[in-house]
Amino acid sequence: APARVPGRLVAMDPGEGDPLEQGDYHGEPQNEELVEAIRARWVAQAVQRHVASHQISTTTNGSKKTVRIVCGTWNVNGKNITALPEAADITAWLKEKHGTTPADIYAVGAQEMVDLSVTNVVASDSKAAKRADAWREMLDLAMARLGGAYELVASRHLVGVFLCVYARVAPDTPRAVEAASAVASCGVMGVLGNKGGVSVRCRVADTTLCFVCSHLAAHRSNVDGRNADFRTILKKTELRPGEGGATSSNNPAASFAPSARTLLFKDLGSGDAAAAASSKRHGRTRSKLLWPDAKDVWLPCAHLLAADVASSSFDGAGGTLLDPSGLITGGDASSYSAARAAEALAGAAVQQQQQRHSHEAWRIEDHDVIFWIGDLNYRIHSSVPAMAAYEMADRKDAAFLLDHDQLRIERRAGRVFSGFDEGEITFPVTYKYEPGTATRLVGGPGDKKVRPPAWCDRVLWKADEPVALLEYDAAMAFVSSDHKPVRAVFDAPIAAI
């Protein structure tokens, strides 16, 4: 018989798993640590078997397995977007090169939406608020031109940093719900908004998405400052229920809670469960493999029971259900089938966990998929002379410069954007150009100041499941700023449980 662990609901399937689970499990019924290790390993194996099948697949109602997401970032150098010629048709920046239908989600960010003067940074937000309104109006028109029906998920600004997210409304696309937004300042003295980040989050089916637009510390020598700004934005950003969503229907505080998928799989970890339990016995810290406060319910097992019951032996003879608290059975487990208990427990446990988390703030890294865009301000390493960097960029000799790109160097060293990915850069440097020109770099021979060009404007992402990058390029024909806009197109998997 299965080991009886006080205060836990236990449901084991002796028909599956490795010999260690079956042999040692029955051989040491009173070893609680071993039972916990076996249970955790079984959960990890079951997750691997079933997570693929939990992806949304094409069904009669037209659900989609992936959503198409376009992320764009542009530092407009303090210019009023309405006065720029590009505002007449901003879709030239956002449209996919090869796509035939509009994307499902557009996340558009801007930096230096206003000039970063003392008045704009410290004294008044009125100018920035007006510029943010102008950006939204322009993007509303752009969404109409792109085709399809779009709704604003959320929009937020921090002085010159602006982020706006739209989601397509269509029968074949899950709605973007539970929207929230937040800002994090990391400018002068760590509190002013001349530098910082704006974040928007939402949930699509059972996948949570977070979009971050940031403007990090400037100057070639200030790599440590940029790294610190990244960490500050991660630390300070708190996305709270009811704050910053576009509409009440999109942002009901009562429904703001972790998705079932996050509740199930977030803390499972990727290590070997038996080894983790063994490490505890030898005095080492053990990773959290189960919800630490789930004293009376085994949440992952309950959900996997509900998924597995039709194809396994969780129906009395093959497993035992214990419900010492009477949470599901009222104390009479013998009259409950494994299937009914699993389904009831799954619903009760998710509701319990969601209520517990319903008033908490989300951090950026709590989300299943994160897209980070902006003027990250990383330059070419100072070991490359400024004039040499300029000449290489001017003749489109990118390979050497990319090898000396500060962001790549810092990421390889693990000092910033740990776990994030970036696509191959095949477009020219994005900074610094003479406004009004498509290719004239500033900072070379004859200019007052020698300035090495760089790929300041970037798009990165981090995801639990593989995300496909389809396009990553710059809109070189946009000439009103000293930066070029950058855009990335993705297909992201969306899960439903």
Side-chain angles (χ1 to χ4, degrees):
R4 295 176 174 266
V5 182
R8 296 284 177 89
L9 181 147
V10 180
M12 302 296 290
D13 178 7
E16 294 186 359
D18 60 29
L20 172 64
E21 293 184 17
Q22 297 179 42
D24 287 1
Y25 177 72
H26 293 292
E28 299 184 50
Q30 302 302 318
N31 188 330
E32 183 174 340
E33 290 184 354
L34 181 60
V35 171
E36 183 178 350
I38 293 169
R39 180 188 296 119
R41 174 182 285 182
W42 183 89
V43 170
Q45 291 172 343
V47 168
Q48 291 176 355
R49 290 197 307 270
H50 289 284
V51 73
S53 65
H54 288 148
Q55 302 297 313
I56 293 178
S57 57
T58 301
T59 64
T60 55
N61 64 4
S63 296
K64 299 179 66 175
K65 187 174 182 178
T66 61
V67 292
R68 180 68 50 86
I69 298 174
V70 174
C71 296
T73 176
W74 189 17
N75 183 321
V76 293
N77 193 27
K79 304 290 180 59
N80 183 351
I81 189 64
T82 60
L84 303 185
E86 291 87 352
D89 188 7
I90 205 77
T91 62
W93 161 32
L94 301 176
K95 280 190 303 188
E96 302 169 56
K97 286 182 177 178
H98 308 295
T100 57
T101 59
D104 299 304
I105 296 175
Y106 287 90
V108 183
Q111 306 82 45
E112 294 190 44
M113 183 179 60
V114 295
D115 57 283
L116 302 180
S117 65
V118 174
T119 300
N120 289 331
V121 174
V122 179
S124 173
D125 187 56
S126 61
K127 185 176 181 180
K130 290 178 180 178
R131 294 282 177 88
D133 288 342
W135 269 88
R136 277 194 302 272
E137 291 174 5
M138 177 192 67
L139 290 170
D140 286 346
L141 293 173
M143 293 301 109
R145 290 193 182 105
L146 286 166
Y150 288 86
E151 63 181 355
L152 178 65
V153 176
S155 175
R156 197 75 179 262
H157 74 277
L158 171 68
V159 188
V161 182
F162 168 84
L163 178 60
C164 196
V165 178
Y166 291 87
R168 189 162 68 99
V169 180
D172 64 341
T173 304
R175 292 285 297 277
V177 298
E178 297 177 4
S181 64
V183 300
S185 303
C186 49
V188 178
M189 300 181 68
V191 296
L192 297 185
N194 59 308
K195 294 293 187 289
V198 178
S199 301
V200 168
R201 63 92 55 194
C202 64
R203 177 174 61 82
V204 178
D206 257 304
T207 295
T208 53
L209 307 174
C210 186
F211 302 90
V212 185
C213 178
S214 68
H215 193 189
L216 306 186
H219 305 302
R220 190 186 195 191
S221 61
N222 197 13
V223 179
D224 290 342
R226 289 185 273 283
N227 294 352
D229 285 352
F230 168 79
R231 292 190 295 270
T232 297
I233 293 169
L234 282 180
K235 181 179 179 180
K236 292 176 68 172
T237 298
E238 295 184 343
L239 294 145
R240 297 186 177 278
E243 291 186 6
T247 66
S248 58
S249 63
N250 233 15
N251 191 26
S255 69
F256 184 90
S259 65
R261 179 173 182 269
T262 301
L263 288 172
L264 292 183
F265 306 138
K266 179 181 174 184
D267 288 334
L268 290 179
S270 58
D272 182 87
S278 175
S279 70
K280 179 183 178 183
R281 292 194 292 273
H282 290 86
R284 296 188 293 274
T285 301
R286 180 166 53 89
S287 301
K288 293 181 181 178
L289 295 172
L290 301 174
W291 283 94
D293 51 0
K295 296 178 181 177
D296 295 314
V297 293
W298 185 24
L299 181 61
C301 182
H303 279 273
L304 292 167
L305 266 171
D308 269 352
V309 70
S311 59
S312 63
S313 53
F314 288 110
D315 54 359
T320 300
L321 286 169
L322 303 181
D323 182 22
S325 67
L327 178 68
I328 301 302
T329 65
D332 183 12
S334 62
S335 63
Y336 242 71
S337 71
R340 288 179 62 199
E343 291 172 0
L345 180 62
V350 166
Q351 183 178 17
Q352 199 175 79
Q353 290 288 355
Q354 288 182 333
Q355 287 174 351
R356 183 177 293 117
H357 289 269
S358 63
H359 298 294
E360 296 178 3
W362 283 64
R363 301 288 183 176
I364 291 170
E365 293 197 307
D366 289 337
H367 294 82
D368 300 317
V369 187
I370 305 165
F371 296 99
W372 197 302
I373 68 177
D375 178 1
L376 307 187
N377 250 326
Y378 287 91
R379 314 296 176 93
I380 302 303
H381 194 273
S382 57
S383 63
V384 181
M387 186 56 71
Y390 176 90
E391 291 172 351
M392 290 181 190
D394 194 40
R395 64 174 183 258
K396 308 293 190 295
D397 186 4
F400 178 85
L401 294 179
L402 285 170
D403 284 341
H404 293 79
D405 173 74
Q406 290 176 343
L407 179 55
R408 290 189 170 192
I409 292 171
E410 296 303 297
R411 287 182 59 221
R412 284 196 297 265
R415 290 187 284 265
V416 73
F417 285 100
S418 178
F420 280 78
D421 292 304
E422 184 182 21
E424 181 184 359
I425 294 177
T426 59
F427 48 88
V429 292
T430 61
Y431 176 81
K432 174 176 179 144
Y433 290 87
E434 181 178 334
T437 71
T439 59
R440 165 67 163 97
L441 288 166
V442 175
D447 292 322
K448 293 180 179 179
K449 182 178 180 180
V450 175
R451 186 189 302 272
W455 288 272
C456 292
D457 310 277
R458 314 287 274 266
V459 178
L460 296 93
W461 74 95
K462 183 177 184 179
D464 295 339
E465 301 292 333
V467 169
L469 174 66
L470 307 180
E471 299 178 19
Y472 190 27
D473 57 16
M476 301 303 293
F478 280 47
V479 299
S480 296
S481 173
D482 54 357
H483 289 252
K484 299 299 182 184
V486 169
R487 180 207 56 193
V489 182
F490 301 93
D491 273 346
I494 298 299
I497 294 178

